[in-house]
Amino acid sequence: MRPCRSQDVIGSMGICQWLLGAGEGILMAAAAAYGFYRSITAFILFLIPACAYLRVYKRVWRQKRLACLERQFKEAIRILAGSLSAGYSVENAIAVGCGELERLYGPDEMIVREFVHMREQMNLNESVEKVMQEFAGRSGLEEAERFAQIFRIAKRSGGRLVPVICHTVSVMEDRSQVKEEIRTMTASVRYEQKIMTVIPFLMILYIDVTSPGFFHGMYETMLGRLIMSGCLAMYLLSCWLSQKILDIRIG
């Protein structure tokens, strides 16, 4: 099992993810060129923003990985609290946590590699506070940053670590529950939003099949192309607004 020594716990996308993102970008470029311009030239021009779409795809991929890491971190802290309650020292609790997390998630998961890395750093006489703070900085998790700060203050002030960690776990679980409730409440709306982004193209395709030539005036005249350009701008604006509305964050 190889510990994660990179500066980013999430890591980088593999070849498959890059190809999938590029494929989605090309598909959207083709759909936009067909639906709004019916032009090969438009498709070639749309390949430029399709390449920029890879940044959006990467951001979404990282958000999913970060949400997965957040769930794993919450479970890791719960295991750590249980080990401390059983009388283990912090160093031994982290070592025990490595085995528990490996059995739970497998040896290649992010949180397992990080806990192995922390254990090895402590074997090199690094302080627990330092390795916790390094993990928080690399992970980008707000919960990890808060936990590292609380852990450092409690340990330096001689406070009781077990009640502090148990309280932190309770707070994290409450936040996770709120997030899950929001996801559940907005799940149907998100599904409807995805369907609505596809509906315009399906309508155009349906009219093309049932009434060939109905849209020719929109693609062959200057006025029609201007109108379709305005429709494309409104479509992109509506997609952006729907994403902003559904992007609910818990502070």
Side-chain angles (χ1 to χ4, degrees), residues 215-227:
F215 283 130
H216 281 179
M218 304 301 293
Y219 301 119
E220 297 177 355
T221 64
M222 182 59 67
L223 179 60
R225 290 170 182 168
L226 290 175
I227 292 175

Side-chain angles (χ1 to χ4, degrees), residues 105-177:
Y105 295 113
D108 296 325
E109 282 296 327
M110 295 176 285
I111 195 65
V112 179
R113 298 199 308 269
E114 280 299 315
F115 261 62
V116 170
H117 180 57
M118 286 192 287
R119 183 185 63 188
E120 293 189 354
Q121 289 296 104
M122 288 187 296
N123 289 338
L124 297 175
N125 295 324
E126 292 285 358
S127 65
V128 180
E129 300 96 315
K130 183 178 180 180
V131 296
M132 285 284 187
Q133 192 63 49
E134 287 179 351
F135 165 73
R138 289 197 310 272
S139 67
L141 285 176
E142 293 182 8
E143 285 80 1
E145 182 66 32
R146 292 170 181 168
F147 177 78
Q149 294 176 357
I150 293 172
F151 183 85
R152 183 177 65 252
I153 293 172
K155 201 166 190 305
R156 288 184 178 179
S157 62
R160 294 180 299 169
L161 284 177
V162 175
V164 171
I165 293 177
C166 290
H167 175 71
T168 304
V169 171
S170 176
V171 172
M172 290 171 60
E173 288 179 344
D174 291 341
R175 285 168 53 85
S176 297
Q177 184 177 358

Side-chain angles (χ1 to χ4, degrees), residues 74-98:
K74 183 181 70 174
E75 185 63 33
I77 297 305
R78 185 184 293 112
I79 293 173
L80 183 63
S83 298
L84 291 174
S85 300
Y88 287 95
S89 65
V90 178
E91 292 79 3
N92 290 333
I94 291 178
V96 171
C98 290

Side-chain angles (χ1 to χ4, degrees), residues 153-227:
I153 293 172
K155 201 166 190 305
R156 288 184 178 179
S157 62
R160 294 180 299 169
L161 284 177
V162 175
V164 171
I165 293 177
C166 290
H167 175 71
T168 304
V169 171
S170 176
V171 172
M172 290 171 60
E173 288 179 344
D174 291 341
R175 285 168 53 85
S176 297
Q177 184 177 358
V178 172
K179 289 181 180 180
E180 193 61 35
E181 289 177 356
I182 291 175
R183 292 192 191 101
T184 302
M185 294 171 61
T186 59
S188 61
V189 180
R190 292 178 186 275
Y191 182 71
E192 292 171 3
Q193 186 263 341
K194 291 179 180 179
I195 293 177
M196 292 305 296
T197 58
V198 181
I199 286 296
F201 300 101
L202 295 179
M203 291 177 62
I204 292 173
L205 183 61
Y206 173 77
I207 293 174
D208 279 343
V209 172
T210 57
S211 302
F214 185 84
F215 283 130
H216 281 179
M218 304 301 293
Y219 301 119
E220 297 177 355
T221 64
M222 182 59 67
L223 179 60
R225 290 170 182 168
L226 290 175
I227 292 175

